[in-house]
Amino acid sequence: MHQPYYEDLVPGEHILPWVRLHALKDYYGMVAILREFPAVRMTFNLVPSLLVQLEAFAADRARDRYLELSLKPAVALTPEEVDFVLDNFFHAQRQHMIDVYPRYGELLARRGGTAATAGDRRAAAARFTVDDLRDLQVWHKLAWIDPFYLDHDLRVRALVAKGRGFSEDDKAALRTVELELLNKVIPEYRHAVARGQIEVSASPFYHPILPLLCDTEVYRRTHPDSRMPRERFKRPGDAALQLERASTYQELLLGRRPVGLWPSEGSVSDEMVPLVAAAGFRWMATDELILARTLGLTFSRDGRGHVEQPERLYKPYVVRAGGAKVACAFRDHVLSDLIGFTYSGWPPETAADDFVLRLVEAGDRYRERTGGGEALIPIILDGENAWEHFVGGGRPFLRALYRRLSGHPLLKTVTMADACAGADQELPGIFPGSWIDANFYIWIGHADDQKAWSQLADARDALDDAARHGTDPGAVAEAREELMIAEGSDWFWWYGDDHSSAHDAEFDDLFRRHVRNAYRRLQVPIPDELFVSNISSAAAPAIPTEPTTLLAPTLDGEETSYFEWLGAGTLEIREVAGAMHQIDRRPAVISLVHFGFDHARLFVRVDAASRVVDLLADGRELSLKFSTPGGVRLSVRQRLGRLTASFWDRQAVEPYWLERGPGSALVAAGTVLELAVPFSELGLTADQPVAFFVAVFDDTGAELERHPAHRPIELLTPDALFEARNWRA
């Protein structure tokens, strides 16, 4: 469980709301669910930069602008505040957190698009009444409430049932629930630790990349010819302080000193090992690729994804370096990523069955290779961001999984401390890298990263100079705190073109604010470059272009003419990671989507990495999943050598095939997939909204990918004036 430190310490404002919102949705329920499964043992890693903010929000002494505007009377919102609300109160996973609530989905449709330009914002604001804004204030928070409360709390259930027309009293009641949930989080972990069901490990206080704090030159081990920051950053004392403060803080909060460490982003090196041991940590963990590089081998996998050297991976080791030693476990990243990235698109029971079967198979392979003994299979993944992509916030899947693990004759869940207690094989050092590609490129490889490291190094030198020249110790301590925050990994995660979010600019601004604040505390001049964005390039997420003309394509599964899809809307599929990063991420099956219409039909063309007809023959299914109108899906697959299409709608008990012919759906697959869906089948007439995703399923019915990732392609059915409005001379 991890969030960066969002507070600007000077005004005391938290710039982004994710600590508070994830506390409402994930941090309590993810551990509270274990009360139902007392035989399950787990390890939770709680990052101190998250916990200290969580304490402040629980005590009602922390504020962020999102919170303030959610509580302000709707009638008193200024035009600027309305703009902010409309821009920012829809930051939630579309399928499972917005569209499942009709009123929230209605408000998003009313807002439309991204409301990016000033004209767009004015037009959007004009469509919202005071009652609409109040409903949005409620739904912005209600959609994040823990599934336990959604299922069982009468106050929350009453608000969900009411749906619209909320009052200021309803907002106050929801605030009461919010504070109640925030105050339950830390005690729930404390209770689970006390009853021996979980272990809580730690990360360095502000989540820095420890090997880079020790010495940025470690990056040259994997990238010897790379550009580097203009000044080498070498501060092992800072790394030691981040570790010691994390351990002390967790002991204060949970009543016992942690013995386990998830080094930020699984980042390890020989230089950090003695620091980890000196801070009292007995075990740490990282990724399997680090072990492979350390051992000088490659972990190959079979068609099921099973590692073919289980006897090397499925055991704890002892890492010895710098005169110290620490036990270390190495995660199976394929199994971990199944939970993080794949199972969200599967039925919960099917996903749980598949995962348990894979664990049993992995254990059997280990015993076959070793002649007996038990395999230790570390499953380590993001604690908060995956679940919003699951049905029911992930709880149906977790319950299905925990039920199977609780009584399984061959599988036993253990904490990481128990797992590492028997480590006996020694590694004389460890390969320097992170859980991503066994290197540090994400955090220092891009020019924007290197500029930020240079700014951090300059500020760190200024801090040392101030301390040597007798600057007030209180000011030095405050400046040191700001720079410890700036050493966190997250600012560097979002720099460069490898990860992107809607809040890249805020992360960049926060990093530079913390560094500027350090100079202000020391009362020395602030370098001008800290007032200018470090972002030189960013990977923009794919945004659909809109149709500009009516279409009349030949539906034959081929690109018959360059002109037949000219004027269609397009969605180019790009691989841009966000808060989570998947190892061994496979290229997307779909590469491009064209979409448009005539006055009677929606047209969609899907281009793929290989011929669509071959994908269908291999058992893939391509589907249009409609969110508007909801509950409608058109699926194309091949059965017994014949192309078939099944159409589900909200009334149909069984899917039905729409025969080819006038007024019916048409499907053609060849090099590309081309579809025509009559608006009449969707219950639509002119100038009505339609929204859909394009999805790929395997032969078990499991969803493999969906495009766009977070919100559907949205358009209005054409009216009689569509062509006139879009005419170009």
Side-chain angles (χ1 to χ4, degrees):
M1 309 297 192
H2 161 58
Q3 294 292 336
Y5 198 80
Y6 293 115
E7 184 184 10
D8 182 344
L9 296 178
V10 173
E13 178 188 4
H14 293 252
I15 305 302
L16 290 170
W18 306 123
V19 167
R20 179 174 53 84
L21 293 180
H22 276 292
L24 298 183
K25 186 173 72 69
D26 297 309
Y27 298 142
Y28 165 71
M30 284 293 120
V31 66
I33 194 174
L34 292 179
R35 290 180 179 268
E36 302 172 27
F37 305 96
V40 172
R41 300 287 184 270
M42 294 185 66
T43 300
F44 286 86
N45 191 82
L46 303 178
V47 177
S49 60
L50 159 65
L51 293 174
V52 69
Q53 295 174 91
L54 179 56
E55 275 198 294
F57 277 109
D60 199 17
R61 65 174 186 268
R63 285 290 185 272
D64 62 68
R65 193 178 185 198
Y66 301 74
L67 175 61
E68 295 292 350
L69 294 185
S70 75
L71 300 177
K72 187 171 183 177
V75 71
L77 292 171
T78 68
E80 293 76 16
E81 290 170 340
V82 170
D83 286 348
F84 185 90
V85 165
L86 296 183
D87 280 349
N88 293 284
F89 276 29
F90 295 101
H91 288 313
Q93 203 273 348
R94 176 70 182 267
Q95 180 186 13
H96 297 299
M97 297 177 67
I98 295 180
D99 288 343
V100 292
Y101 302 116
R103 176 58 167 160
Y104 202 9
E106 174 190 328
L107 293 170
L108 177 57
R110 182 166 300 174
R111 196 280 306 263
T114 57
T117 68
D120 290 337
R121 285 194 292 269
R122 284 194 298 271
R127 294 192 289 270
F128 276 73
T129 67
V130 171
D131 289 342
D132 292 333
L133 291 170
R134 189 181 301 108
D135 284 0
L136 180 54
Q137 288 174 311
V138 171
W139 276 113
H140 156 69
K141 190 180 296 179
L142 191 55
W144 285 82
I145 292 296
D146 190 281
F148 276 126
Y149 275 66
L150 291 172
D151 292 339
H152 304 296
D153 188 276
L154 295 180
R155 298 163 298 178
V156 173
R157 289 172 62 85
L159 289 173
V160 173
K162 187 174 183 179
R164 63 176 63 235
F166 295 117
S167 66
E168 293 296 328
D169 286 342
D170 290 328
K171 284 167 52 180
L174 186 56
R175 175 60 175 165
T176 299
V177 171
E178 179 176 32
L179 286 170
E180 181 179 305
L181 254 172
L182 291 170
N183 279 281
K184 279 187 172 184
V185 177
I186 293 173
E188 190 63 30
Y189 285 94
R190 194 181 297 125
H191 294 326
V193 169
R195 65 179 182 262
Q197 191 169 5
I198 71 167
E199 174 187 3
V200 176
S201 58
S203 291
F205 201 93
Y206 289 114
H207 207 261
I209 304 298
L210 290 176
L212 294 178
L213 289 195
C214 289
D215 191 350
T216 50
E217 287 295 303
V218 72
Y219 179 56
R220 292 192 187 275
R221 176 77 178 272
T222 55
H223 292 73
D225 299 321
S226 174
R227 268 186 65 176
M228 294 294 289
R230 63 175 177 259
E231 182 179 344
R232 180 178 186 174
F233 192 97
K234 188 175 182 179
R235 302 284 178 171
D238 287 12
L241 182 59
Q242 296 264 11
L243 286 166
E244 177 56 35
R245 284 198 44 194
S247 185
T248 301
Y249 181 74
Q250 187 166 304
E251 182 179 22
L252 177 68
L253 211 60
L254 298 177
R256 61 185 69 187
R257 204 166 176 90
V259 298
L261 178 78
W262 172 250
S264 310
E265 307 293 357
S267 297
V268 293
S269 67
D270 285 350
E271 289 76 12
M272 62 170 275
V273 171
L275 306 180
V276 171
F281 295 101
R282 298 200 296 268
W283 67 261
M284 63 183 184
T286 184
D287 186 68
E288 67 177 60
L289 191 53
I290 295 290
L291 177 62
R293 296 285 173 83
T294 300
L295 297 175
L297 56 81
T298 299
F299 287 123
S300 55
R301 293 181 181 268
D302 66 12
R304 276 275 289 168
H306 289 306
V307 66
E308 294 178 324
Q309 301 84 12
E311 74 281 3
R312 308 302 294 272
L313 178 59
Y314 295 149
K315 59 195 271 187
Y317 290 81
V318 174
V319 178
R320 185 179 292 275
K325 62 180 182 179
V326 178
C328 190
F330 299 86
R331 78 176 192 129
D332 183 312
H333 65 225
V334 169
L335 289 176
S336 302
D337 279 356
L338 281 171
I339 298 177
F341 296 94
T342 300
Y343 287 147
S344 60
W346 292 33
E349 300 287 335
T350 303
D353 284 337
D354 182 76
F355 191 71
V356 169
L357 177 60
R358 288 174 183 270
L359 291 175
V360 171
E361 291 172 344
D364 289 344
R365 292 164 70 93
Y366 180 88
R367 282 188 290 273
E368 289 170 6
R369 295 295 293 266
T370 61
E374 294 184 339
L376 167 67
I377 308 175
I379 308 299
I380 305 173
L381 68 148
D382 188 299
E384 59 247 296
N385 290 304
W387 313 114
E388 59 203 59
H389 300 280
F390 281 74
V391 171
R395 307 308 164 78
F397 165 72
L398 290 174
R399 285 191 172 94
L401 178 60
Y402 294 163
R403 275 197 306 271
R404 287 156 176 78
L405 294 176
S406 293
H408 201 283
L410 298 176
L411 300 173
K412 179 183 179 182
T413 56
V414 294
T415 65
M416 290 291 288
D418 289 340
C420 292
D424 55 12
Q425 183 169 339
E426 192 168 293
L427 298 174
I430 193 165
F431 189 86
S434 72
W435 70 271
I436 301 177
D437 299 328
N439 62 49
F440 304 114
Y441 176 83
I442 295 290
W443 301 277
I444 197 172
H446 193 276
D448 297 358
D449 299 317
Q450 293 156 8
K451 185 176 182 181
W453 276 106
S454 298
Q455 293 164 345
L456 190 56
D458 290 344
R460 195 61 185 74
D461 288 343
L463 178 69
D464 286 349
D465 288 343
R468 281 195 299 268
H469 290 89
T471 300
D472 174 64
V476 170
E478 291 173 345
R480 185 184 302 279
E481 197 72 21
E482 296 279 9
L483 295 183
M484 286 181 67
I485 296 170
E487 289 173 346
S489 69
D490 293 84
W491 327 117
F492 303 94
W493 176 275
W494 296 108
Y495 281 137
D497 54 6
D498 34 27
H499 297 96
S500 186
S501 79
H503 298 286
D504 288 0
E506 285 91 340
F507 280 100
D508 166 56
D509 177 64
L510 261 172
F511 169 78
R512 291 181 292 105
R513 279 200 208 194
H514 288 305
V515 180
R516 290 199 305 265
N517 288 346
Y519 283 99
R520 288 195 180 99
R521 306 284 194 188
L522 299 173
Q523 297 185 353
V524 297
I526 302 171
D528 289 340
E529 67 175 317
L530 290 173
F531 293 93
V532 180
S533 173
N534 286 336
I535 299 174
S536 64
S537 65
I543 299 175
T545 63
E546 295 185 358
T548 58
T549 188
L550 296 178
L551 303 179
T554 301
L555 300 178
D556 57 4
E558 304 296 335
E559 187 172 357
T560 307
S561 163
Y562 166 77
F563 297 100
E564 64 175 344
W565 289 93
L566 195 64
T570 59
L571 174 70
E572 182 180 355
I573 309 305
R574 305 173 189 163
E575 293 290 341
V576 180
M580 297 191 293
H581 188 109
Q582 184 175 0
I583 299 295
D584 292 341
R585 183 170 50 194
R586 297 176 182 176
V589 170
I590 297 174
S591 58
L592 182 66
V593 178
H594 292 81
F595 54 92
F597 34 61
D598 61 17
H599 284 296
R601 294 173 295 176
L602 169 71
F603 296 113
V604 179
R605 168 180 152 182
V606 179
D607 293 28
S610 58
R611 284 165 40 92
V612 170
V613 69
D614 295 333
L615 291 171
L616 295 172
D618 288 340
R620 297 289 190 264
E621 171 193 319
L622 299 181
S623 289
L624 302 186
K625 299 182 71 172
F626 289 87
S627 58
T628 306
V632 180
R633 174 174 156 191
L634 176 64
S635 297
V636 181
R637 59 172 70 84
Q638 182 171 303
R639 291 292 183 268
L640 301 176
R642 179 173 175 269
L643 182 68
T644 67
S646 301
F647 199 87
W648 282 264
D649 66 20
R650 287 161 293 185
Q651 287 75 41
V653 176
E654 296 291 338
Y656 58 92
W657 165 243
L658 293 175
E659 295 294 340
R660 297 168 183 266
S664 296
L666 292 172
V667 180
T671 303
V672 302
L673 177 69
E674 294 178 311
L675 306 99
V677 184
F679 291 133
S680 60
E681 291 290 345
L682 300 173
L684 299 175
T685 57
D687 200 31
Q688 289 190 304
V690 58
F692 64 93
F693 298 93
V694 181
V696 182
F697 296 81
D698 68 13
D699 55 5
T700 70
E703 185 175 296
L704 301 177
E705 60 188 70
R706 162 197 303 253
H707 305 288
H710 303 297
R711 58 180 300 162
I713 295 168
E714 298 172 299
L715 60 161
L716 291 174
T717 57
D719 60 13
L721 299 177
F722 174 80
E723 286 187 294
R725 284 196 302 272
N726 288 276
W727 181 80
R728 296 287 188 272

